[in-house]
């Protein structure tokens, strides 16, 4: 029988395959195949790749797969290499489909990139793998000997799980002389057998009759099952019970509680006594499921509900109830009760996320598919009709693609910086009354796109740095924010290329690319650079990278790091500056002005003067603001003729810096015509040592010496012609006092020397000597000797200029009766060490005039 069954399965498979080939390809998106049950693992079902028109080489990349509910058995599977649908595990039709009729496996096929959904139905074809069976192997039938010919005795039906032609087809009875067999067909096309009495029974002759009942199915090969019927001949109980009708129908809601009355059966028996007492029970071939759900009261005939009904599992239950009297030779009669279940909305919709594509890019265009959602309700009718919707205020919507299938798509542009994650509530609601609903929450994270440039916390930065800072010290920190995340928000800082005073900005300032801390690479000097600005760039690590710039203004703050410098008076040749003061000076007499400069700024350069040491503090005072040295009182006889003073110049910085100068004042009766140290306007030592002025002074000194010798020779010649000189007067001859052509100013400073000459006795006229040559080119030299003084002044390096318009008579420029007056013009100082503009008026006051015997005075 095993070989015959295998051959039958093979022939059925060939017939199914031929049916598929003749049927032609189904419509796109809806395929249907048929496959016999009980095929081995790997058996071919269909070529889905070819039937769906898919590229077989891309099935794996596009994640071609069968979507099934969680926990469901995967009877079929797809080979991703060739697109063939094959049997994954043995399919038992009777196990998969408990109820009769067509057995279908519904498959949902999903392929991504782009997302496509196909529905496939696979019909499981029945094969004749089950033989008919009887409830009992031996059946006892009691027949009264008074039974009339043609009496019918229903027999227990055989059951075959197979369907169609493979189910019970007919019955056969073994040959005997008393009974024949008639096969009847019910309304549901099922077959049952009745034993017909063909010959009168005589209990006294034969008390028991044995026959063999065989049930045959219609499969190929044919299968059968047998049962032994033991017919016992009883004494006459010639009436059997009878139901009101052979078949009953009743409707029952599926949520009916246990104990509910299903139906009240009623059968009657015309006999009396025990032969008329009827007992009800299920017939022998009632399935176990029916016995679990229902119960028959033996005496009353009530059919009660015992278990819990489920419309989704079985909507119809068929009950076979028999009635049998209690008399001898009782004969059982049967009736059928059809219990139709009424669906109740007792199943909420089920939401299944078939495919989810998360996270979603924030620049995804509207209409991007996020997920495929399947919604099912096990109820029927309106109770199984489901509507699906998403919660409000989310940029998503549901679009229906197939029945009970939806796609979740975007409706507008997303912005991760505003909403980084969405919790989308999906509500499935059926049409029952009352309606049942199911809510499922889908979390959709939004992935970042580099769509935000960095933004600095301030539009610009102002940084104040004290000068003389330590190289490498932190001066400030800039910070920027980027609303993006991960690498799109990772910022690196840099300084834009540029120059500060001709030097690359990178030699002044550096920045930490990670933290934004800025460091000074050199010590800044306020006197050299007071402010500068740089551009700092913040750039993220996204692709493409985005950046932002900010201007950082760096202001250098002054520090009191420069002490005041005394510019007047300056010691000569390392000695103390000296000055003559007439003893006749009155209180308030201006002895001179101490002048100093400070390279700092602000309060650090504000200078104050004070007398630090003095031979007599009651004799002199210094103005705190101007540095003017004046007498406080008149000189007394007991006052020392030499006064030693120390003047201190202090700036306004914290801590204050100072400088001092020592002065030696000689109190004289009469003022000689010599320049004092206060008239010198010399350079500071640090400036003179680093300039070519020293060389110029040496050249000038040599020229002066030569001029002195030449002047003495010429003076001697003039004395020899004294009368001629007397007629010419005291003035110098204009033709002799002229400059050489092409003269130009010299860059050398003004130098003063003293020349002692002995004029002839009795000479009262001033003597002038013009030296047209012998000195540096472009200058003339004049020696004037006064009869009233034993000491004459010699001036040199005085640029000549043509006579002014108002000097019509050059001879009138000197008179014998006038005092000798020497005017000296100082050369413009070197601009490399000039003091600030606030100090220049003080320096310009240094001009010395000698007026007769009044001595010399400092002017500021």
């Amino acid at each position: 029988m095993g070989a015959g069954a295998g051959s039958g399965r093979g022939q059925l498979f060939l017939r199914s395959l031929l049916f598929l080939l003749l049927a032609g390809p189904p419509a796109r998106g809806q395929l249907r195949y048929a496959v016999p049950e009980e095929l081995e693992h790997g058996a071919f079902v269909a070529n889905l790749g070819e039937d769906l028109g898919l590229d077989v080489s891309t099935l794996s990349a596009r994640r071609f797969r069968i979507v099934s509910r969680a926990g469901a058995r995967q009877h079929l599977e797809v080979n991703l290499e060739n697109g063939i649908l094959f049997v994954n595990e043995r399919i038992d039709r009777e196990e998969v489909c408990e109820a009769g009729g067509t057995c279908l496996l519904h498959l949902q096929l999903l392929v991504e990139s782009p997302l496509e959904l196909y529905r496939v139905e696979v019909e499981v074809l029945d094969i004749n793998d089950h033989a008919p069976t009887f409830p009992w192997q031996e059946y006892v039938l009691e027949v009264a000997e008074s039974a009339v010919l043609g009496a019918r005795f229903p027999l227990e039906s055989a059951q075959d799980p197979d369907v169609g032609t493979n189910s019970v087809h007919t019955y056969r009875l073994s040959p005997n002389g008393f009974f024949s067999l008639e096969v009847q067909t019910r309304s549901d096309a099922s077959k049952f057998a009745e034993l017909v009495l063909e010959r009168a029974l005589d209990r006294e002759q034969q008390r028991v009759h044995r026959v063999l009942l065989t049930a045959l199915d219609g499969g190929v090969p044919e299968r059968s099952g047998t049962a032994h019927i033991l017919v016992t001949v009883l004494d006459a109980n010639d009436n059997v019970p009878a139901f009101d009708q052979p078949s009953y129908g009743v409707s029952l809601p599926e949520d009916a509680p246990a104990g509910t009355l299903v139906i009240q059966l009623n059968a009657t028996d015309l006999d009396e006594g025990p032969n008329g007492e009827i007992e009800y029970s299920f017939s022998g071939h009632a399935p176990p499921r029916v016995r679990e759900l229902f119960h028959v009261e033996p005496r009353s005939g009530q059919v009660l509900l015992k278990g819990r009904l489920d419309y989704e599992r079985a909507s119809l239950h068929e009950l076979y109830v028999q009635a049998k009297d209690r008399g001898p030779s009782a004969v059982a009669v049967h009736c059928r009760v059809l219990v139709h279940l009424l669906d109740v909305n007792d199943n909420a919709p089920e939401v299944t996320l078939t495919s989810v594509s998360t996270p979603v890019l924030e620049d995804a265009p509207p209409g991007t598919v996020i997920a495929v959602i399947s919604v099912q309700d096990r109820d029927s009718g309106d109770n199984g009709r489901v509507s699906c919707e998403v919660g409000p205020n989310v940029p998503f919507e549901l679009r229906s693609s197939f029945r009970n299938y939806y796609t979740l798509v975007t409706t507008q542009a997303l912005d991760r910086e505003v909403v980084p994650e969405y919790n989308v509530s999906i509500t499935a609601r059926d049409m029952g009354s009352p309606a049942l609903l199911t809510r499922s929450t889908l979390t959709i994270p939004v992935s970042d796109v580099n769509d935000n440039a960095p933004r600095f916390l301030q539009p610009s930065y102002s940084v104040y740095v004290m000068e003389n800072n330590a190289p490498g010290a932190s001066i400030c920190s800039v910070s920027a924010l980027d609303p993006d995340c991960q690498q799109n928000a990772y910022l690196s800082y840099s300084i834009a290329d540029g120059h500060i005073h001709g030097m690359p900005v990178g030699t002044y300032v550096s920045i930490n690319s990670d933290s934004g801390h800025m460091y000074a690479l050199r010590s800044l000097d306020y006197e050299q650079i007071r402010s500068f600005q740089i551009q700092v760039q913040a750039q993220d690590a996204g692709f493409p990278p985005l950046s932002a710039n900010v201007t950082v203004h760096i202001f250098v703050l002054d520090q009191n790091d420069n002490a005041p410098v005394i510019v007047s008076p300056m010691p000569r040749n390392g000695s103390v500056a000296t000055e003559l003061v007439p003893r006749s000076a009155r209180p308030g007499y201006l002895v001179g002005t101490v002048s100093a400069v400070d390279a700092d700024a602000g309060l650090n350069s504000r200078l104050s003067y004070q007398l630090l040491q003095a031979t007599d503090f009651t004799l002199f005072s210094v103005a705190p603001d101007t540095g003017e040295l004046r007498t406080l009182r008149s000189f007394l006889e007991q006052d020392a003729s030499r006064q030693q003073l120390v003047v201190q110049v202090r700036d306004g910085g914290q801590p204050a810096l100072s400088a001092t100068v020592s002065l030696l004042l000689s109190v004289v009766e009469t003022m000689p015509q010599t320049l004092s140290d206060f008239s010198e306007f010399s350079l500071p030592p640090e400036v003179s040592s680093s300039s070519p002025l020293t060389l110029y002074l040496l050249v000038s000194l040599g020229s002066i010496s030569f001029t002195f010798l030449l002047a003495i020779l010429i003076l001697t010649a003039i004395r020899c012609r004294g009368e001629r000189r007397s007629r010419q007067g005291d003035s110098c001859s204009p033709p002799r006092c002229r400059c050489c052509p092409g003269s130009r100013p010299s860059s050398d400073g003004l130098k003063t020397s003293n020349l002692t000459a002995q004029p002839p006795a009795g000479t009262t006229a001033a003597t002038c000597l013009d030296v047209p040559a012998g000195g540096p080119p472009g200058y003339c030299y004049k020696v004037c000797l006064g009869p009233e003084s034993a000491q004459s002044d010699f001036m040199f390096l005085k640029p000549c200029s043509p006579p002014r318009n108002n000097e019509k008579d050059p001879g009138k420029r000197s008179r014998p009766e006038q005092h000798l007056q020497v005017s000296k013009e100082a050369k413009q100082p070197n601009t490399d060490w000039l003091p600030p503009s606030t100090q220049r008026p003080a320096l310009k006051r240094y001009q010395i005039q000698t007026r007769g015997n009044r001595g010399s005075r400092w002017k500021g």
Side-chain angles (χ1 to χ4, degrees):
M1 184 178 291
S7 176
R9 286 196 298 269
Q11 292 178 4
L12 185 57
F13 173 76
L14 292 177
R15 286 190 296 174
S16 301
L17 182 59
L18 181 60
F19 169 78
L20 293 176
L21 295 176
L22 294 177
R28 178 175 178 83
Q30 179 71 37
L31 301 177
R32 183 163 182 171
Y33 301 96
V35 60
E37 66 174 335
E38 301 296 335
L39 291 181
E40 298 295 331
H41 173 76
F44 174 87
V45 177
N47 192 336
L48 293 178
E50 179 179 352
D51 294 341
L52 295 176
L54 301 176
D55 187 0
V56 178
S57 61
T58 63
L59 294 181
S60 179
R62 296 181 64 186
R63 299 182 62 194
F64 184 64
R65 64 190 183 276
I66 296 175
V67 180
S68 59
R69 291 189 301 173
R73 299 179 63 178
Q74 196 76 15
H75 297 288
L76 301 176
E77 190 55 81
V78 177
N79 189 334
L80 297 181
E81 296 180 358
N82 51 26
I84 291 177
L85 181 67
F86 61 94
V87 176
N88 186 43
E89 63 178 17
R90 186 181 65 86
I91 304 175
D92 187 354
R93 182 190 178 282
E94 288 72 27
E95 179 182 355
V96 174
C97 302
E98 294 181 3
T102 303
C103 182
L104 295 177
L105 295 179
H106 299 278
L107 304 180
Q108 282 79 33
L109 302 178
L110 185 68
V111 61
E112 298 180 356
S113 301
L115 186 66
E116 296 179 353
L117 184 66
Y118 301 90
R119 297 186 66 182
V120 175
E121 291 182 353
V122 179
E123 180 182 1
V124 181
L125 301 178
D126 183 53
I127 64 173
N128 193 19
D129 58 341
H130 294 86
T133 58
F134 288 91
W136 298 283
Q137 293 297 318
E138 187 174 280
Y139 178 68
V140 177
L141 179 61
E142 296 178 348
V143 180
E145 64 178 351
S146 59
V148 296
L149 298 178
R152 297 174 180 271
F153 305 97
L155 301 178
E156 290 289 341
S157 299
Q159 297 295 321
D160 193 339
D162 297 328
V163 296
T165 58
N166 296 326
S167 63
V168 176
H169 180 64
T170 187
Y171 293 87
R172 286 196 305 225
L173 189 66
S174 61
N176 64 90
F178 294 91
F179 300 96
S180 65
L181 192 66
E182 285 188 8
V183 179
Q184 303 290 336
T185 302
R186 298 188 180 97
S187 60
D188 59 350
S190 61
K191 305 295 181 75
F192 67 96
E194 290 182 343
L195 199 62
V196 180
L197 182 62
E198 298 291 341
R199 181 181 173 184
L201 299 177
D202 188 356
R203 180 179 180 276
E204 286 70 22
Q205 292 181 2
Q206 187 178 352
R207 300 179 61 179
V208 175
H209 298 270
R210 294 182 181 273
V211 293
L212 181 64
L213 179 62
T214 302
L216 302 173
D217 60 22
V220 179
E222 187 181 68
R223 292 176 176 270
S224 63
T226 59
H228 294 277
I229 299 177
L230 182 62
V231 180
T232 303
V233 181
L234 302 176
D235 284 342
N237 181 13
D238 53 353
N239 290 291
V240 295
F243 283 100
D244 296 338
Q245 57 190 53
S247 179
Y248 298 88
V250 65
S251 296
L252 189 67
E254 63 172 325
D255 60 348
T260 300
L261 176 63
V262 178
I263 192 173
Q264 174 70 59
L265 297 178
N266 184 34
T268 60
D269 194 324
L270 298 177
D271 295 327
E272 294 181 355
N275 294 333
E277 295 179 0
I278 300 174
E279 291 184 351
Y280 300 90
S281 63
F282 283 115
S283 60
H285 59 270
R289 177 65 177 167
V290 171
R291 297 179 183 271
E292 293 175 1
L293 296 177
F294 302 96
H295 169 69
V296 178
E297 286 292 333
R299 301 303 296 270
S300 64
Q302 291 180 343
V303 179
L304 302 176
L305 182 62
K306 184 172 68 171
R308 183 177 179 182
L309 301 176
D310 191 354
Y311 177 88
E312 288 70 37
R313 184 171 181 178
S315 61
L316 176 66
H317 294 280
E318 190 173 11
L319 288 63
Y320 291 94
V321 181
Q322 67 179 11
K324 183 179 179 181
D325 59 30
R326 302 179 64 183
S329 304
V331 177
V333 294
H334 301 79
C335 74
R336 184 177 66 168
V337 179
L338 297 179
V339 180
H340 298 272
L341 298 185
L342 301 177
D343 185 37
V344 175
N345 192 22
D346 59 345
N347 292 282
E350 297 178 1
V351 178
T352 304
L353 298 176
T354 303
S355 178
V356 180
S357 300
T358 56
V360 59
L361 292 175
E362 62 175 322
D363 62 349
T368 300
V369 177
I370 306 301
V372 176
I373 302 169
S374 64
V375 181
Q376 298 198 3
D377 195 318
R378 297 175 58 194
D379 295 323
S380 62
D382 289 342
N383 295 332
R385 293 175 55 192
V386 180
S387 64
C388 196
E389 60 183 10
V390 296
N393 302 325
V394 292
F396 303 97
E397 69 176 2
L398 289 174
R399 295 179 181 175
S400 178
S401 54
F402 293 99
R403 183 176 181 271
N404 294 336
Y405 277 88
Y406 298 87
T407 55
L408 182 67
V409 299
T410 59
T411 58
Q412 63 187 38
L414 306 179
D415 191 348
R416 190 207 64 84
E417 289 70 39
V418 177
V419 181
E421 184 179 85
Y422 290 93
N423 291 319
V424 181
S425 177
I426 301 173
T427 303
R429 188 190 313 270
D430 60 26
M431 303 300 176
S433 179
L436 299 179
L437 59 87
T438 299
R439 285 192 176 93
S440 179
T441 301
L442 175 61
T443 300
I444 303 177
V446 181
S447 61
D448 187 45
V449 174
N450 192 24
D451 56 347
N452 289 278
R455 180 174 55 84
F456 283 92
L457 300 182
Q458 299 178 206
S460 64
Y461 291 82
S462 297
V463 181
Y464 299 88
V465 182
M466 187 68 69
E467 66 171 330
N468 302 318
N469 58 293
S474 175
I475 59 175
C476 71
S477 176
V478 297
S479 180
L481 297 178
D482 195 318
D484 295 322
C485 66
Q486 297 179 355
Q487 69 174 10
N488 294 332
Y490 176 77
L491 301 181
S492 61
Y493 300 89
S494 62
I495 296 178
D497 295 335
H499 291 80
I500 301 175
H501 287 203
M503 296 293 292
V505 68
T507 62
Y508 281 83
V509 180
S510 68
I511 191 169
N512 187 305
S513 61
D514 295 327
S515 63
H517 292 290
M518 297 179 62
Y519 304 90
L521 298 181
R522 60 170 62 184
S523 180
L524 302 177
D525 190 352
Y526 175 84
E527 288 70 39
Q528 294 182 0
I529 180 170
R530 298 194 176 187
S531 67
F532 58 92
Q533 66 181 25
I534 59 176
Q535 292 288 329
V536 176
Q537 182 184 72
Q539 179 172 291
D540 58 31
F543 182 82
L546 301 178
S547 61
N549 294 339
V550 71
T551 301
V552 180
H553 301 273
I554 299 179
F555 300 94
V556 182
L557 301 179
D558 183 42
Q559 191 179 35
N560 193 24
D561 57 343
N562 291 281
V565 176
I566 305 295
V567 297
S568 175
M570 292 295 298
R572 182 181 302 171
N573 299 328
S575 60
V576 178
T578 62
E579 180 55 42
L580 301 179
V581 181
R583 184 174 292 273
S584 61
R586 296 180 180 180
Y589 174 81
L590 178 63
V591 179
T593 301
V594 178
S595 181
V597 295
D598 195 317
D600 294 324
L603 292 177
N604 296 330
S605 64
R606 185 173 182 179
L607 304 179
S608 62
Y609 302 84
Q610 66 175 351
L611 191 61
L612 190 64
Q613 295 180 8
T615 303
D616 188 350
F617 282 96
T618 64
L619 190 56
F620 299 98
S621 68
V622 175
D625 298 328
T626 63
E628 293 181 347
L629 181 62
R630 295 181 181 271
T631 57
L632 295 175
R633 59 179 176 82
S634 300
F635 287 96
L636 303 177
E637 292 295 335
Q638 60 270 25
D639 290 334
S641 61
R642 297 176 66 86
Q643 297 288 331
Q644 182 76 30
L645 303 179
V646 177
V647 178
Q648 183 187 57
V649 182
R650 180 186 296 269
D651 59 26
Q654 292 294 333
L657 301 179
S658 63
T660 59
V661 60
S662 298
L663 305 177
L664 181 59
L665 303 181
S666 298
V667 182
V668 297
E669 298 296 333
T670 60
M671 289 293 294
Q673 296 184 13
T674 181
L675 296 177
S676 66
D677 292 334
F678 284 93
S679 65
E680 295 289 338
F681 189 40
S682 59
L683 296 173
E686 65 272 14
V687 176
S688 62
S689 62
S690 59
S691 66
L693 185 61
T694 303
L695 179 61
Y696 298 155
L697 293 177
L698 292 177
V699 175
S700 300
L701 184 60
S703 300
I704 293 171
S705 300
F706 176 76
T707 304
F708 279 149
L709 294 177
L710 184 61
I712 293 173
L713 294 177
I714 295 175
L715 185 61
T716 304
I718 293 175
R719 289 290 302 270
C720 293
R721 291 185 284 181
E723 293 181 357
R724 184 181 177 180
R725 300 287 294 169
S726 300
R727 289 193 300 266
Q728 293 178 352
D730 295 336
S731 61
C732 296
S733 176
R736 291 185 178 181
C737 191
R738 63 180 179 269
C739 297
C740 301
S743 63
R744 54 177 180 159
S746 172
S747 61
D748 296 338
L750 177 66
K751 196 72 176 178
T752 303
S753 299
N754 296 327
L755 177 65
T756 304
Q758 297 294 334
T763 302
T764 61
T767 302
C768 294
L769 177 62
D770 292 340
V771 183
Y779 292 88
C780 63
Y781 306 91
K782 178 173 67 174
V783 177
C784 296
L785 301 177
E788 298 178 357
S789 176
Q791 162 177 318
S792 298
D793 291 338
F794 175 62
M795 295 186 299
F796 68 98
L797 291 180
K798 180 177 181 181
C800 295
S801 59
R804 299 180 181 178
N805 295 332
N806 57 355
E807 295 179 356
K808 304 238 175 134
D809 187 5
K812 296 180 181 180
R813 286 181 296 175
S814 61
R815 300 295 178 186
E817 64 273 13
Q818 292 178 348
H819 294 289
L820 180 63
Q821 181 174 340
V822 180
S823 176
K824 299 180 181 179
E825 297 179 8
K827 178 182 174 288
Q828 293 296 326
N830 192 344
T831 58
D832 292 339
W833 59 273
L834 278 179
S837 58
T838 56
Q839 298 292 337
R840 291 178 185 175
L843 295 179
K844 292 180 180 179
R845 292 196 299 264
Y846 285 97
Q847 297 179 358
I848 303 175
Q849 293 182 350
T850 305
R851 302 178 183 273
N853 294 330
R854 292 181 61 187
S856 63
R857 168 177 286 186
W858 307 326
K859 283 192 176 181

